[in-house]
Amino acid sequence: MATTEECRAALEKLSDNMQRAEGDARAAAALDRSVSCHITDLDVTFAGRMAGGRIHVHDTIQGPPPEKAQIRLSMTGDDLVALVDGELSFARAWGSGRVKLHAGVRDLLLLRKLL
């Protein structure tokens, strides 16, 4: 089971990958939205903002997110690490319910290019 530190490191790696995105993915990475990632098996939420092509984590909260972020992810720590490392397909994980993504329709259309 991935630790809180490993999950934070995975989010940093995802942020670094977003910074290097090109084409349509770069437009998706450039969104300015509040974001949260709830790690279900650890019952920890990373909350912050996606801005300037990066994810800026401002808080690590025990339990589910106290406020609804504009972009909300929910998954296990192992799935987060596997997604970021390229060992798990986002589409397959989302389709099977292993990863949950909640956002506005316009954001979902942009994010699919990134994920």
Side-chain angles (χ1 to χ4, degrees), residues 1 3-4 12 14-15 21-22 25 27-28 34 36-37 48 54 59 61 66-67 75 78 84 103 105 110 112:
M1 180 167 76
T3 66
T4 301
E12 284 295 320
L14 175 60
S15 182
E22 296 178 0
S34 60
S36 68
C37 182
R54 296 194 63 84
D59 294 309
I61 303 156
E67 299 176 7
M75 68 194 81
D78 288 342
V84 173
V105 174
L110 283 170
R112 71 185 170 95

Side-chain angles (χ1 to χ4, degrees), residues 37-60:
C37 182
H38 183 230
I39 307 301
T40 56
D41 55 337
L42 299 174
D43 198 23
V44 169
T45 299
F46 296 97
R49 187 142 203 99
M50 184 188 326
R54 296 194 63 84
I55 298 171
H56 305 277
V57 175
H58 301 298
D59 294 309
T60 304

Side-chain angles (χ1 to χ4, degrees), residues 50-108:
M50 184 188 326
R54 296 194 63 84
I55 298 171
H56 305 277
V57 175
H58 301 298
D59 294 309
T60 304
I61 303 156
Q62 193 64 38
E67 299 176 7
K68 272 190 169 181
Q70 291 167 304
I71 298 171
R72 299 177 307 278
L73 287 161
S74 180
M75 68 194 81
T76 67
D78 288 342
D79 284 345
L80 173 62
V81 171
L83 280 169
V84 173
D85 287 344
E87 299 168 3
L88 178 64
S89 159
F90 179 82
R92 191 168 294 180
W94 180 68
S96 69
R98 288 173 63 178
V99 172
K100 293 181 178 40
L101 171 63
H102 301 279
V105 174
R106 177 180 252 161
D107 289 344
L108 285 172

